[in-house]
Amino acid sequence: MANASSGMSVDDECKLKFLELKSKRNARFIIFKIEEQLQKIVIEKLGQPGDSYDDFIASIPDNECRYAVFDFDFTTNENCQKSKIFFIAWSPDTSRIRSKMVYASSKDRFKRELDGIQVELQATDPSEMSFDVIKARAL
């Protein structure tokens, strides 16, 4: 089903891999990209369960928009182990204007397809999705 505002459909693999990340925890992160020629959102990269946040950040292109989910494990102030699934909309200032518009118009519908997202983050600069920002938003 295509997104009415942008015309983008979501590849079934996106939903399947997200459900696996959520239930089986067999990936640390998923990076999604819009294939404009196909009018479809697809998976660009799956992170391994042992990957770090630095591995995740290194996988996101500096000058191109992306969507990503990251399974963040942390310890609360009460010393409890927890995990939260972050949805990150990466739209750097240096990316193409058309790309930013397509990603912005597709975001809400795509996010609805991924049931179980706990925290959403919009970032236009790497500092807006630094480890400290993620940790602060998780607690």
Side-chain angles (χ1 to χ4, degrees):
M1 177 136 151
N3 182 335
S5 56
S6 69
M8 295 298 155
S9 63
V10 179
D11 190 69
D12 289 338
E13 189 77 0
C14 295
K15 293 179 261 191
L16 180 71
K17 291 299 180 191
F18 177 76
L19 288 171
E20 288 178 8
L21 175 142
K22 190 171 82 168
S23 61
K24 299 178 184 167
R25 300 179 63 95
N26 61 355
R28 174 64 56 196
F29 62 85
I30 307 171
I31 296 174
F32 305 95
K33 81 184 268 187
I34 291 178
E35 288 288 354
E36 289 190 43
Q37 296 86 348
L38 301 173
Q39 295 286 294
K40 189 179 264 195
I41 299 171
V42 299
I43 291 177
E44 182 176 58
K45 179 166 182 166
L46 270 176
Q48 298 302 309
D51 284 355
S52 69
Y53 192 72
D54 288 338
D55 296 326
F56 166 66
I57 293 297
S59 300
I60 295 176
D62 292 336
N63 301 317
E64 294 177 38
C65 298
R66 292 293 184 270
Y67 301 126
V69 290
F70 185 81
D71 186 8
F72 182 65
D73 292 324
F74 62 99
T75 306
T76 66
N77 295 336
E78 295 80 34
N79 212 21
C80 294
Q81 282 297 114
K82 291 207 170 187
S83 154
K84 284 197 177 168
I85 297 175
F86 278 75
F87 177 84
I88 299 169
W90 170 240
S91 184
D93 293 331
T94 53
S95 62
R96 292 182 2 254
I97 289 177
R98 170 161 169 68
S99 178
K100 286 193 256 193
M101 288 171 49
V102 169
Y103 273 82
S105 64
S106 303
K107 182 184 82 166
D108 287 336
R109 180 174 178 283
F110 178 57
K111 204 175 75 181
R112 280 195 303 273
E113 296 278 341
L114 307 178
D115 185 37
I117 289 169
Q118 294 157 306
V119 183
E120 180 183 344
L121 203 62
Q122 177 79 37
T124 57
D125 180 81
S127 67
E128 295 173 338
M129 59 180 186
S130 70
F131 185 78
D132 292 338
V133 169
I134 295 287
K135 190 172 178 183
R137 290 288 303 271
L139 296 174

